[in-house]
Amino acid sequence: MGAYDEMLYLENLSKNITKAQKIEMIENLGKLKSRKAISELTRIARNEMEDEKIRAKAILSLTEIGDLNFVKNFFPLVEQEDKEILEMILIAIRELNIYYAIPELEKFFKSKDNNIKKEVIETLAKFNTLESVKVLLKIYSNGDNFIKSEIRYYLKESESFESFLNDSDELTLLNFITLIPKEKAEILLRKKIETTEDEELLILIVKSIGELKLKNILEILEKIYKSTESKKLKSIIIENIAKISDKGKIEFLFSVLDSADRDLKAKAILALESNKTNKAVINKLVDVMKNRDEWWMNRKLAIITLEHIDNKEYFEALIEMIKEEDDNRILRNVISALGDARKKIAIPYIEGYINNSNLELKKVVIIALSKLGDEKVLGMLVEDRSLIETLFPESIKAILNFKDERVEEVILGILKSRQEKVLDVILGEIADRESREIKDELLKIALDKLVSREIRAKTLMILSSYKSELLDNGIDVILSDIEEWWMIKKIALLIIGEQKMYKKYSTIIKYANDIDKRMSNTARQVAKDFYKYYFLEELSKENSSMLEIAKDIAELI
């Protein structure tokens, strides 16, 4: 490709051409690094009426060309942009080292998509300047545990962050206490515990103590608990006591259960979860769940906390409660717990509620009975398909608890219906089904563009270990479709690698040179595996001296 091709592509871009032709021309202008194309590609990328894939390709080509200015055109559009466009812009910012974009990256973080948030963090971390560190810390302050762990990982090795800490006052350091060296953090915390009565500052200290796992942590937290009247602070202290392994915490939590405040009791019940096999804890929580004078929520939490334990006293208490309980909010949890106990002796007691008029209670009943292998439930659902919809999604989960030929018929019917809300529930439950008929129907869903791309991607992932000629052909269809979603193509490339489909090496080479690094990086990794596990192995059979040359060349590349 040369200057003539560049001129030809630019002329034809504005003409009435097919989507596939337009994408190919945009890609080629990127590979040519055509600076003449910058204004036209920017116009295409910004045009919200343009096809999403064409816009994404335009951004990729602009990135390939290396234009540092086009990104600023997208800042006003960040809040309403499609997530794929956002991802392309973030890749461009990172690849081209566009430092002027750092203050704007916080706006990208408003996206609900975790992948976009992760891209923002990776981009800021790569810059590693004082300005990017400050943006990261602002995001950290408002982030959930996932966000905080991601940021913590990157800041650990950051020299700019170290400089920031050295220039910060005590209050700033307290806000980021879990990010500073432990020895320095402990000295600062102990000093502040003795000198402050400020509630918000104490809350910050309590959270930090829990995360840093200081010595004598239970003693410190109990002391703060007894010295404050703040219910909010007490609640946070209980949450942090729940995370420590000190057995002395049981006695403290029992004292909270004996108090009058029902909300703090609820926190204490949840905090006992890690000690639920302790005999004293079982007896205490059984007393709570049986006590009709107790707040219904705390009774429910006691049942949930003890779920899945094999204990005679707990099981007998559940049987006693199912006979007498008249509060459906409690009854639902009693029945669910009896199902999880997997003791068939509970079946007749639960069956007594199978025709109950309360729909939510009935859903719990069919799940519990299916776990206990009660064929009556399967018969109901198979014979009356309307029940499946009425009791959805529990009805699907109940059916899948049985190993019966009738279940396969129901699954196939659901898959063929293409009802996405049902597909979303069933896909995660049928991944390990061996039926070829089910697998082939899943492949049809993966290739059906009338189904949402997210469902198709999830379906294709389920088929990653399924070997069949149909899947082999399906992979070819996906990778030859220029309009296909990049994530589905990426999964297809991964399947080629997973199943060692060595005959598709030309496809891997093609995608290894794609301007979209989300796919080219995957293809290159698969290519490396091909080289290591196929090419060298085949070469060794033919010519051992050539094998050594190939290995030497590989080390140089």
Side-chain angles (χ1 to χ4, degrees):
M1 290 188 292
Y4 175 75
D5 297 299
E6 179 184 27
M7 182 181 69
L8 199 61
Y9 296 144
L10 282 168
E11 281 181 8
N12 287 327
L13 264 183
S14 58
K15 292 181 180 178
N16 187 21
I17 54 176
T18 67
K19 180 178 175 181
Q21 288 172 326
K22 198 167 189 176
I23 287 173
E24 186 179 0
M25 288 178 189
I26 288 170
E27 282 184 340
N28 286 333
L29 285 167
K31 289 175 182 176
L32 284 167
K33 300 190 183 301
S34 168
R35 300 201 68 78
K36 292 178 182 176
I38 289 174
S39 60
E40 180 61 17
L41 291 175
T42 302
R43 184 192 66 76
I44 291 170
R46 288 197 69 195
N47 183 2
E48 292 183 60
M49 302 302 291
E50 185 63 88
D51 181 88
E52 174 193 310
K53 285 184 173 50
I54 291 174
R55 295 179 70 201
K57 287 292 182 184
I59 296 169
L60 281 171
S61 287
L62 286 164
T63 306
E64 195 76 9
I65 293 165
D67 177 41
L68 298 180
N69 296 312
F70 85 91
V71 168
K72 64 178 65 171
N73 293 307
F74 289 85
F75 293 154
L77 306 176
V78 162
E79 292 183 20
Q80 70 255 28
E81 280 292 356
D82 180 277
K83 68 180 183 182
E84 187 162 357
I85 303 299
L86 287 181
E87 198 170 37
M88 294 293 97
I89 295 299
L90 287 168
I91 289 171
I93 291 170
R94 192 163 62 248
E95 292 289 323
L96 298 173
N97 293 317
I98 303 178
Y99 288 92
Y100 71 75
I102 289 174
E104 304 291 336
L105 285 171
E106 192 182 349
K107 295 176 183 175
F108 286 74
F109 216 78
K110 293 177 182 178
S111 170
K112 294 177 182 178
D113 187 84
N114 272 342
N115 289 328
I116 296 295
K117 291 180 178 180
K118 195 171 180 179
E119 288 275 358
V120 172
I121 293 169
E122 287 178 6
T123 304
L124 287 165
K126 186 194 174 189
F127 289 136
N128 195 20
T129 64
L130 193 58
E131 187 180 19
S132 66
V133 163
K134 286 178 179 178
V135 177
L136 273 175
L137 291 174
K138 193 171 179 183
I139 292 169
Y140 181 91
S141 299
N142 302 314
D144 56 24
N145 289 335
F146 166 76
I147 297 303
K148 287 186 174 180
S149 65
E150 288 289 316
I151 294 175
R152 195 181 290 120
Y153 171 79
Y154 287 112
L155 290 180
K156 192 166 53 177
E157 305 296 330
S158 169
E159 291 179 5
S160 295
F161 177 58
E162 195 174 328
S163 300
F164 171 82
L165 292 178
N166 291 335
D167 296 334
S168 298
D169 57 28
E170 284 189 347
L171 188 58
T172 303
L173 289 176
L174 272 174
N175 277 297
F176 304 110
I177 196 79
T178 56
L179 298 172
I180 67 178
K182 189 172 179 180
E183 298 76 16
K184 188 175 181 179
E186 186 166 353
I187 292 168
L188 181 60
L189 283 173
R190 290 187 184 279
K191 175 185 173 184
K192 288 296 178 185
I193 288 169
E194 298 298 329
T195 58
T196 187
E197 293 181 359
D198 182 88
E199 181 184 338
E200 292 305 315
L201 194 53
L202 281 169
I203 287 172
L204 187 60
I205 289 168
V206 167
K207 288 179 178 178
S208 302
I209 289 171
E211 289 188 49
L212 289 169
K213 299 176 182 175
L214 302 184
K215 292 178 182 177
N216 306 320
I217 183 171
L218 181 61
E219 182 184 331
I220 296 169
L221 291 174
E222 278 195 65
K223 183 179 177 181
I224 300 173
Y225 188 93
K226 289 173 182 175
S227 66
T228 183
E229 295 298 319
S230 166
K231 184 172 174 178
K232 181 180 177 182
L233 179 55
K234 283 178 183 281
S235 179
I236 292 168
I237 289 170
I238 295 170
E239 287 175 7
N240 280 274
I241 284 176
K243 299 171 186 174
I244 65 177
S245 56
D246 192 327
K247 289 184 180 178
K249 74 178 185 180
I250 294 176
E251 186 180 343
F252 168 76
L253 293 170
F254 279 4
S255 70
V256 177
L257 282 176
D258 292 334
S259 69
D261 191 292
R262 69 184 195 179
D263 296 314
L264 294 178
K265 280 185 182 182
K267 293 284 185 183
I269 291 168
L270 293 172
L272 286 166
E273 201 275 338
S274 61
N275 300 94
K276 66 182 181 182
T277 56
N278 178 289
K279 190 169 183 179
V281 171
I282 292 170
N283 291 338
K284 189 77 172 176
L285 293 183
V286 165
D287 286 344
V288 172
M289 68 191 224
K290 288 170 64 178
N291 183 0
R292 294 196 176 200
D293 293 329
E294 188 64 76
W295 183 33
W296 73 269
M297 180 57 77
N298 284 344
R299 296 179 68 201
K300 173 181 174 175
L301 290 175
I303 296 168
I304 292 171
T305 302
L306 292 176
E307 258 181 342
H308 305 297
I309 67 164
D310 187 9
N311 177 268
K312 182 184 176 185
E313 286 76 16
Y314 172 57
F315 183 75
E316 287 177 349
L318 291 172
I319 292 294
E320 183 183 331
M321 289 175 73
I322 198 173
K323 293 176 185 176
E324 301 172 358
E325 188 59 55
D326 54 9
D327 187 335
N328 281 344
R329 296 171 299 184
I330 303 299
L331 196 53
R332 286 198 296 269
N333 290 96
V334 170
I335 291 170
S336 178
L338 285 170
D340 288 331
R342 310 281 172 161
K343 296 182 189 290
K344 290 186 179 292
I345 191 174
I347 288 177
Y349 299 104
I350 301 173
E351 278 187 344
Y353 294 92
I354 203 165
N355 293 315
N356 193 281
S357 59
N358 185 296
L359 199 59
E360 294 308 310
L361 183 62
K362 195 168 182 175
K363 288 179 179 181
V364 177
V365 167
I366 65 165
I367 284 285
L369 289 174
S370 70
K371 288 178 180 178
L372 295 171
D374 188 353
E375 294 282 339
K376 183 182 288 187
V377 170
L378 180 61
M380 282 174 55
L381 294 172
V382 170
E383 289 163 19
D384 184 359
R385 296 294 175 91
S386 65
L387 270 178
I388 294 177
E389 189 165 338
T390 304
L391 301 176
F392 178 83
E394 284 79 1
S395 54
I396 302 295
K397 294 175 182 177
I399 288 170
L400 295 175
N401 280 329
F402 293 96
K403 295 191 181 297
D404 186 292
E405 61 183 21
R406 290 174 294 174
V407 173
E408 186 170 322
E409 292 174 18
V410 173
I411 292 172
L412 282 169
I414 290 169
L415 295 179
K416 288 175 181 177
S417 74
R418 302 292 195 268
Q419 293 180 55
E420 294 209 6
K421 71 169 186 176
V422 186
L423 287 175
D424 201 33
V425 172
I426 200 172
L427 287 176
E429 307 287 338
I430 62 172
D432 58 351
R433 295 271 168 172
E434 297 298 326
S435 164
R436 293 190 73 84
E437 201 173 349
I438 287 175
K439 298 287 190 188
D440 289 343
E441 192 58 41
L442 286 170
L443 179 58
K444 290 177 185 176
I445 292 172
L447 298 173
D448 186 351
K449 287 199 170 182
L450 294 176
V451 177
S452 73
R453 64 189 194 180
E454 288 78 13
I455 293 289
R456 292 173 61 220
K458 190 185 290 189
T459 306
L460 193 58
M461 286 176 70
I462 291 172
L463 296 167
S464 61
S465 59
Y466 177 52
K467 295 191 176 184
S468 79
E469 189 177 342
L470 286 174
L471 178 63
D472 195 293
N473 294 335
I475 295 291
D476 290 338
V477 169
I478 288 168
L479 292 175
S480 63
D481 185 351
I482 198 167
E483 297 184 14
E484 185 57 271
W485 186 32
W486 72 267
M487 179 58 77
I488 290 176
K489 286 190 172 186
K490 180 172 181 172
I491 295 167
L493 291 169
L494 289 170
I495 292 174
I496 289 175
E498 173 77 19
Q499 296 201 18
K500 298 179 173 56
M501 297 176 177
Y502 298 131
K503 291 180 180 178
K504 297 189 188 295
Y505 67 86
S506 59
T507 301
I508 294 300
I509 291 169
K510 173 190 169 187
Y511 275 96
N513 293 303
D514 197 289
I515 63 171
D516 189 340
K517 287 183 170 56
R518 297 171 301 180
M519 289 185 290
S520 62
N521 288 343
T522 302
R524 285 173 188 173
Q525 186 55 55
V526 174
K528 285 179 185 177
D529 292 341
F530 272 26
Y531 179 82
K532 184 176 178 182
Y533 298 112
Y534 176 67
F535 175 72
L536 293 183
E537 190 176 304
E538 290 298 309
L539 190 59
S540 68
K541 295 174 187 176
E542 299 292 330
N543 190 320
S544 58
S545 60
M546 287 296 289
L547 172 65
E548 295 308 315
I549 294 171
K551 286 181 178 177
D552 290 340
I553 292 172
E555 287 179 12
L556 294 172
I557 295 174

